[in-house]
Amino acid sequence: MAGLRERKKQRTRDALVRAANELFVSRGYERTTVDDIAAVADVSQRTFFRYFAGKEEVAFAIDVMIQERYVESLKARPPHERPITALRNAVEDSWNSIGEAVARIVPLDLHMRMWHLIETTPALTAVQMRNAMDMEHRLALIIAEREGLDVRADPRPQVLVASFSATMRTAMQSWGQGQDLTVQGAREGARGYLEALSPALFDAWRPAAEEAPPRQRCVRRWT
Amino acid sequence: MAGLRERKKQRTRDALVRAANELFVSRGYERTTVDDIAAVADVSQRTFFRYFAGKEEVAFAIDVMIQERYVESLKARPPHERPITALRNAVEDSWNSIGEAVARIVPLDLHMRMWHLIETTPALTAVQMRNAMDMEHRLALIIAEREGLDVRADPRPQVLVASFSATMRTAMQSWGQGQDLTVQGAREGARGYLEALSPALFDAWRPAAEEAPPRQRCVRRWT
DNA sequence: GGTGTTGTGTCAGCCCGTGCCAGTTTGGTG
DNA sequence: CACCAAACTGGCACGGGCTGACACAACACC
């Protein structure tokens, strides 16, 4: 148990996150001012900016936590799994523990609505995309490590992670547009999209004979 | 030839874009104020905001134009090409005509440096990612149309486009980090990454026998 | 040339974000 | 317990992004 100072800081931080999430969800991101958030959390505006670099950052506090957990899950996957399998299984793993971790800071359904707000607020989707990109770099490094590759010389880890991440994002997006806002629904949606990933790139939509197959000698180049 | 009013507007707009690009590149995005841009283009700050919704928008004026051209290229691809082939060929097509189109507004090397600035400025990369996402939706619609699919019911167009786009982005990124900032270099880099795309998802990195193959019965679900 | 439309400049004002300084709380020490 | 140094906080001023309102100038059309 850390000192009083540390605990106090954690409490104000959580209060700010909770206040921000509630205000954002109830009256929208743009229509919420930093002063509002600070007032609800009972601190000054100046203090808010000592905890978060900007208004955007507080909106992604939960997401960042979730991302950290995912990275840990991936690192913990056994090394004999193939890259894409590890990526997929890490999703399943982290989804099991995320719920309660989130609930310790904000109610779960509040976070769901917050996630939906991010998807529908341009200024926030932009930041979300950049965060996703940063994470892709980290994941590519982990995959490259697992496989003993140099991420600078071999594009495959980066490409694989980027495609995987893009697919997950797409799944989450269409899930958010539907009505079923349960975690279970997201999980099943993601499974379906991931299953569509390889065939979509195999291009097994029509009989392959319609077009001459492209030469794929690239495998030799990196082996 | 449009009226004087129309031409004048076009000229101020181009002047603003050019001024902004030059200032951004020379002293950085954050250290350039809107007043600076307006001053160089010889208009008031208020007028700037009548042409562009924000400081970010003027930074992507050229990119938006390029994106429009790419969409046109894709629409013009013959319908017998398979989706991924059409996407790839549209890249080749548009790269042939983009250079001169850009040069009519800003010098080409200035745009190259601007592109590099976007990659290295967090606030701009975020917007770039969102733009890319918006475009993915448009491309998925086009692909779905070509194939006679419903983009809401079948995730494959969205997944394919997302993976393709992510791969292109990755290629552009590693190209920007290198020294060869010629269009030819970008073209060849993109080819290599695209060739890596399918094998990376096939997972042909190690002998497949190490792990039981995942069931892929999904193809049946959408045929 | 007169008239309505459209574009522009000026001004005031809100909000985000930062540097600065003074006041308060906490943790450690004699 | 008293004291001090470190860390945290609040208040203030200010620069910069962005918007609404209004008056004025430039264009288009008759």
Side-chain angles (χ1 to χ4, degrees), chain A residues 37-126:
Chain A
I37 302 170
V40 172
D42 204 45
V43 293
S44 71
Q45 190 222 41
R46 193 66 188 85
T47 297
F48 173 92
F49 284 110
R50 287 200 177 91
Y51 281 88
F52 301 97
K55 192 175 153 188
E56 289 153 359
E57 197 174 298
V58 71
F60 289 95
I62 307 286
D63 287 57
V64 166
M65 191 190 69
I66 292 175
Q67 284 188 0
E68 292 311 317
R69 293 201 160 231
Y70 178 74
V71 169
E72 292 311 312
S73 294
L74 181 62
K75 281 183 182 163
R77 294 308 307 173
H80 66 80
E81 286 182 341
R82 294 180 308 168
I84 196 156
T85 311
L87 286 168
R88 183 169 46 72
N89 287 345
V91 172
E92 300 281 345
D93 289 354
S94 52
W95 262 342
N96 289 328
S97 70
I98 280 177
E100 58 184 74
V102 171
R104 272 204 298 272
I105 304 181
V106 295
L108 253 177
D109 68 326
L110 177 61
H111 175 249
M112 292 295 177
R113 265 178 278 165
M114 186 63 212
W115 186 87
H116 188 260
L117 182 71
I118 291 174
E119 291 276 307
T120 53
T121 306
L124 292 180
T125 36

Side-chain angles (χ1 to χ4, degrees), chain A residues 79-85 88 122-123 125-127 129-130 133 136-137 143 146-147 149 155-160 162-163 166-167 169-170 173 192-193 195-206 208 210-216 218-219 221-223, chain B residues 79-85 88 122-123 125-127 129-130 133 136-137 143 146-147 149 155-160 162-163 166-167 169-170 173 192-193 195-206 208 210-216 218-219 221-223:
Chain A
H80 66 80
E81 286 182 341
R82 294 180 308 168
I84 196 156
T85 311
R88 183 169 46 72
T125 36
V127 177
M129 292 294 107
R130 195 174 53 65
M133 201 192 68
E136 283 171 26
H137 287 142
I143 294 293
R146 284 172 63 98
E147 303 295 310
L149 301 171
R156 290 175 299 162
Q158 194 69 55
V159 168
L160 172 67
S163 300
T167 304
R169 235 179 10 244
T170 306
Q173 229 165 279
Y193 274 67
E195 281 176 8
L197 178 56
S198 295
L201 297 163
F202 278 114
D203 226 350
W205 309 17
R206 314 181 227 168
E210 288 184 27
E211 197 187 45
R215 294 180 235 297
Q216 305 215 0
C218 47
V219 176
R221 285 175 49 192
W222 296 295
T223 44
Chain B
H80 66 79
E81 286 181 341
R82 294 181 306 170
I84 195 154
T85 311
R88 183 168 45 73
T125 37
V127 177
M129 293 292 107
R130 195 175 51 67
M133 201 192 68
E136 283 170 26
H137 287 143
I143 294 292
R146 284 171 62 100
E147 303 294 310
L149 301 172
R156 290 175 299 161
Q158 195 69 54
V159 167
L160 172 66
S163 300
T167 304
R169 241 186 357 254
T170 307
Q173 227 164 281
Y193 274 67
E195 281 176 9
L197 177 55
S198 295
L201 296 164
F202 277 113
D203 226 351
W205 311 17
R206 315 181 227 168
E210 288 183 28
E211 196 188 46
R215 292 182 234 298
Q216 305 215 359
C218 47
V219 176
R221 285 174 49 190
W222 296 296
T223 47

